[in-house]
Amino acid sequence: MGYRTPPNKIIYVDTGRCLGCHSCEIACATAHSSASSVFEAAAMRGLHSRIHVVAVGGGSVPMQCRQCEDAPCAKVCPTGAMRQNDGHGAVSINEQSCIGCKLCTMVCPFGVVQVVNQPSVEGRTNGGVASKCDLCTEWREREGKQRTACEESCATRAIRLVDLQEYRVALVKARAAEIAAAHRNVRIAFDQETR
């Protein structure tokens, strides 16, 4: 079965490697700010990370948009601000079209879409706008980077931007190796005459 667009890239997280240090959150917030460095960003107010490290079961899991192939957030957006981009499959937000209705936050199965207040100049509304991981698309283009900010900041390489097809191939190989190892010493005699 062919895709209308190629399978999208995703953030892969190896939870066994995550230390829960939150450097990915800082890098994300900095990359999506007007700051030119982490130090400048630290002095700013209103920094917002699109990835959040959640402590669970004695470990940590960085949570961010999964760039769903059949994105529920894009389906419910009344203005079309949230959409799956043709060409690379990632789900993006047109902030100028977003009305901050929070429907996307209600349907996100991972709870990672947020509405961030950006008060209007005249001060009449909260100016809420949906925010989620955008795979650092603009930041990577602007900075000439291949990797996302969270991936670059992760000292243990727990976070990686991967092509979905490459991930699938690696997963099949890993599962095949597990099956082969589990059955290495198992010999079952099948009766050739029974069919």
Side-chain angles (χ1 to χ4, degrees):
M1 179 177 136
Y3 285 94
R4 183 174 56 85
T5 58
N8 51 354
K9 291 195 177 252
I10 60 169
I11 298 290
Y12 169 77
V13 176
D14 182 342
T15 56
R17 289 182 171 200
C18 181
L19 302 174
C21 69
H22 301 270
S23 64
C24 55
E25 292 178 355
I26 296 166
C28 176
T30 302
H32 291 91
S33 74
S34 60
S36 58
S37 72
V38 170
F39 303 108
E40 186 180 324
M44 296 176 74
R45 288 186 170 267
L47 279 182
H48 172 72
S49 177
R50 298 163 188 225
I51 185 170
H52 302 281
V53 177
V54 179
V56 61
S60 297
V61 180
M63 296 290 293
Q64 71 289 322
C65 176
R66 305 303 310 150
Q67 311 299 335
C68 299
E69 292 288 344
D70 191 17
C73 58
K75 285 182 173 183
V76 301
C77 183
T79 64
M82 186 87 67
R83 63 181 44 218
Q84 192 123 29
N85 290 339
D86 287 334
H88 62 78
V91 179
S92 65
I93 302 168
N94 177 342
E95 291 184 3
Q96 289 73 33
S97 298
C98 180
I99 59 173
C101 68
K102 301 176 186 72
L103 286 174
C104 53
T105 65
M106 289 186 259
V107 299
C108 177
F110 301 97
V112 294
V113 180
Q114 301 174 53
V115 173
V116 178
N117 288 344
Q118 297 176 345
S120 60
V121 175
E122 65 275 357
R124 293 187 345 204
T125 71
N126 287 335
V129 175
S131 178
K132 60 168 220 53
C133 175
D134 60 1
L135 300 177
C136 291
T137 304
E138 289 180 18
W139 179 79
R140 288 187 296 133
E141 284 178 19
R142 185 176 65 245
E143 300 294 323
K145 306 271 187 173
Q146 293 294 315
R147 301 186 312 162
T148 60
C150 61
E151 181 181 9
E152 281 195 352
S153 72
C154 185
T156 62
R157 298 218 14 128
I159 300 173
R160 300 177 107 172
L161 179 65
V162 299
D163 178 88
L164 192 56
Q165 188 58 34
E166 289 175 21
Y167 171 77
R168 288 177 180 143
V169 168
L171 182 62
V172 167
K173 286 181 180 178
R175 294 301 176 251
E178 289 172 4
I179 291 169
H183 290 84
R184 186 161 286 130
N185 297 318
V186 176
R187 299 288 182 256
I188 299 173
F190 290 99
D191 183 6
Q192 296 297 324
E193 295 178 13
T194 307
R195 291 198 170 138

